[in-house]
Structures are given as C-alpha cells and as structure tokens.
Amino acid sequence: MVAKTLQEFDVELDKLHMRGQWQYDRLLEQVIGGPKPAGVPYVWKWEEVYPKLVEACDIIPESYTARRNFSFLNPGLERGGTTHTLLIGMQMIKPGELAWAHRHTIAALRFVVRGNERVYTVVDGEVCPMHAYDLILTPRWSWHDHHNESDHPAIWVDVLDLPFVIGLNVPFYEPYPGDRQQVRRSSEAEYIQARTGALRPTWERPKERHLPLRYPWVDAEAQLKRLAKLEGSPYDGIALEYVNPINGGPAMPTLSCWIQMLRPGEETKSHRQTSSAVYFVVRGEGKTIVNDEELEWKQHDTFCVPNWAWHRHVNRSRSDEAILFSVHDIPMLQAFDLYYEEPENSIRARPAPLVPPVPEKSEK
Ligand SMILES: [Fe+2]
Ligand SMILES: [Fe+2]
C-alpha cells in the first residue's frame, strides 16, 4: 500500500471539516510578536465633517430617517467600525426635530458638540438636557429618543460598542410603540439620576447598572481645573474617568469614558495598550503620534488610536490647554484579564494620598 502524502491527508481532513494544527503556521506567525494593531490611526477633520452634516440636513428630510448620523469608518478595517470594538460618529438634528424612540443591545453614549437647555435626550423616561460637552449615557437596552425644541441645530458625537456586540452576534433591536417614550412626569424624585449622588434614600437598594446618567460639562470642567496642578499620568496628563457613581466602575460595562487635559506645551510619554480608543477634541490643538504617524488635531476633530499601537499626545500651544474626550474599550479587556500595557500599567497605578503625618506632641 502506497503511503498517502501529507497533502493528500490534509485534503481528506478538509472534506470532513477538520484541520490539523500543523496547518496553522500562518496563525502562529500572527500570534508571535503579540497583537498587530487592528485598523489604522486616522483623523476625521471637523472642517470636512461639519459641511457634510449641514448638507445632510438638506438632502435627508426628517421623515426619511430616525437618525441623521455619520459613522466614522476606519480605512484599515474591512468589517467596519472606527476601531475593531468601537464606533464613533456624529449626528445633527434640526430645530423642531425628533429622533424617535428605540432601544438596542448596543450600548451608546452622546457627547454634545452644540446644544442648549431645549435640546434633550430621554433615557428610560428621564429627561437629560444636552448642553455643549455634556455626556449622556444610553445604556444597553434602554429606551432613548432625542429632541430639539430650540431654534438652533444641535450636534453631538455618538459612541457605540457596535463592532463588539456584532462580533458576539447579539444585536437585538426594538422600536418604541410611538415616536416618543413615556416620560416620568410626576416628579424628578422618581429619577434614577436623583439616586446616584452622594445622598441616597436609605430605604432603597440602589440600581447599580444601566443607569441613565448625564455628566454635565460644568462639573467635568471644574474638576479638570481643580486637579490641573497635579502631576497626573505621564501617558495622559490630567485624565479623568467618568465613573458609575454606584459601584465606582466604568460608566458602562464595555466603555470607559475619559476627559483629559493636556496642559500648555505638555508632551506625554509613549505607551501602548491592548485597548483601542476614539477621541474627540473639545478644544485646543496638537498632535497624537501613533507608531510613526502624526495625527494633527484641533477643535472638534475626531481621531482613533488602534489597539497595541505606541502613542503619545502633544499639546502644541504654549499658552492654552487642550481638552480631549475619549472612549476606551478597556473594560472589555479587563473583564477577561486581557488588558496589558507597555512599558508599565498606568491605570490606577498609584495609591491615593495618605493622611498627613501627625506631629509629635511638643513637651511643655
Ligand atoms: Fe439608538
Ligand atoms: Fe493611551
């Protein structure tokens, strides 16, 4: 009997929907040397995005779509997405318009670019006003609709964990029966948001997840200013995380939201993380160097940093601070012990300040 060649044997296995591990040389090549960044670093310039949003208001009538939104797609990703796990985009809503209510298993958030008191999102019955640079969460499977009852167009950034949810193949979606959801009209005392501060009802067990939260810009900006004189992170400057106020964890189970200040002339050290991130420039101008590529950014630009790519930030101005809002997929990785960083872990690496030493009593 003539012995089969390995090639013939592989063909036989293939017909039976099996494959020998010896055929995985190419896979091994991918694994050796660690992750290859998924996608490329890229900037979406406000000066190119904004005119297209204005144009979309003319071309797409309100009745035609529930969401007049652009997704920012990474030119290096075949499957879509801004990074392999995150999708960022921008949306514009004209005066008098309503983006009707729905819910989905994709978690989302809004970071407002242009808004005012009469622009608001309703999340699970709670009204969240949208002022410039407020952050509003629409957690997984929460009802949400957006309203512009003002005389000015409103614009915001949308960030979703869509590529992650699609990757796990769990995309559920449901439209609300009607344009707008029921609002908790009786009193704000019924709001979940009224139960997440430092003073909470003693008679209730707090809701811990899927909180319909609004993080006002006035609070974020005040806290950045308060902490601006600290050394901060060598890799991110004064980077603050919007946390879940009940459990202290990330704002949403998959998404970590940050606001960071790069002080005038600040240049951070380079690092790389197994997480990826999307950034929106609140104000200032500078650049983020990702591997060999320089991403030049200024106010209202959006950019992405793929996973495991070396990166550092530079505030080009000698007189003005730069402020960046960003969303990271760090919680997805931490949940499975897959978060790594080089050259060192910079997240929660240092202890909080100690109680000042008590001076010895002087003898009199
Ligand atoms: Fe939605
Ligand atoms: Fe980073």
Side-chain angles (χ1 to χ4, degrees), residues 181-230:
Q181 65 179 290
Q182 204 84 34
V183 172
R184 294 186 205 270
R185 292 243 179 244
S186 54
S187 159
E188 284 186 22
E190 280 186 32
Y191 276 27
I192 297 292
Q193 290 178 81
R195 292 159 160 71
T196 56
L199 285 169
R200 301 173 193 164
T202 57
W203 59 90
E204 289 179 6
R205 193 171 56 246
K207 190 177 179 195
E208 287 189 21
R209 287 156 67 97
H210 306 290
L211 306 173
L213 288 177
R214 167 176 179 255
Y215 300 84
W217 174 242
V218 285
D219 296 347
E221 191 176 33
Q223 180 70 339
L224 281 173
K225 286 204 169 109
R226 194 175 290 134
L227 302 185
K229 288 208 164 54
L230 295 178

Side-chain angles (χ1 to χ4, degrees), residues 236 271 273 311:
D236 288 296
H271 73 160
Q273 305 160 267
H311 59 278

